[in-house]
Amino acid sequence: QVQLVQSGGGLVQAGGSLKLSCAASTRTFSSYAMGWFRQAPGEEREFVSAIRWRGNSTYYADSVKGRFTLSGDAAGNTVYLQMNSVKPEDTAVYYCAARARFDVVNAAAILRLRYEYDYWGQGTQVTVSS
């Protein structure tokens, strides 16, 4: 099966920047969409951002809009999350995910849901100090 390999986590001061990356283990893998979720201790895994490769449409949670930018390659096997102006509340384990299925009717809504993704990365810790 396809595995998603993440890198780029670490410790950063509030107001600073950090860039996460996620790549499929198979170069020929192509997804309909890829996204980022995060989970803080004691909290549910929540949506952060996603990209629908067809048209390169991006979607963001209100909490990160204007601060985080998602990008990737057109092949649909690599995605990045550029995190700017980070806040202590951004501290969490960040997970990337990929949806292989192409039967999405309303991508803006579907891609915010955890169970709509088929593959998940191992997660990487992001800690923002105040």
Side-chain angles (χ1 to χ4, degrees), residues 38-116:
R38 66 187 183 186
Q39 187 168 20
E43 303 290 335
E44 296 184 358
R45 192 171 300 186
E46 65 175 356
F47 170 77
V48 176
S49 183
I51 182 168
R52 175 170 58 85
W53 298 115
R54 293 181 178 178
N56 292 313
S57 300
T58 53
Y59 312 93
Y60 297 91
D62 290 340
S63 59
V64 305
K65 192 173 298 182
R67 299 188 298 118
F68 293 5
T69 302
L70 185 152
S71 63
D73 65 0
N77 54 27
T78 304
V79 70
Y80 306 94
L81 185 67
Q82 178 65 51
M83 306 168 61
N84 296 328
S85 302
V86 295
K87 305 175 181 179
E89 50 262 44
D90 294 322
T91 296
V93 176
Y94 283 71
Y95 299 88
C96 69
R99 178 183 171 91
R101 293 163 288 164
F102 285 77
D103 59 344
V104 175
V105 176
N106 188 346
I110 291 297
L111 297 181
R112 286 175 162 80
L113 306 175
R114 293 173 293 171
Y115 57 81
E116 293 290 350

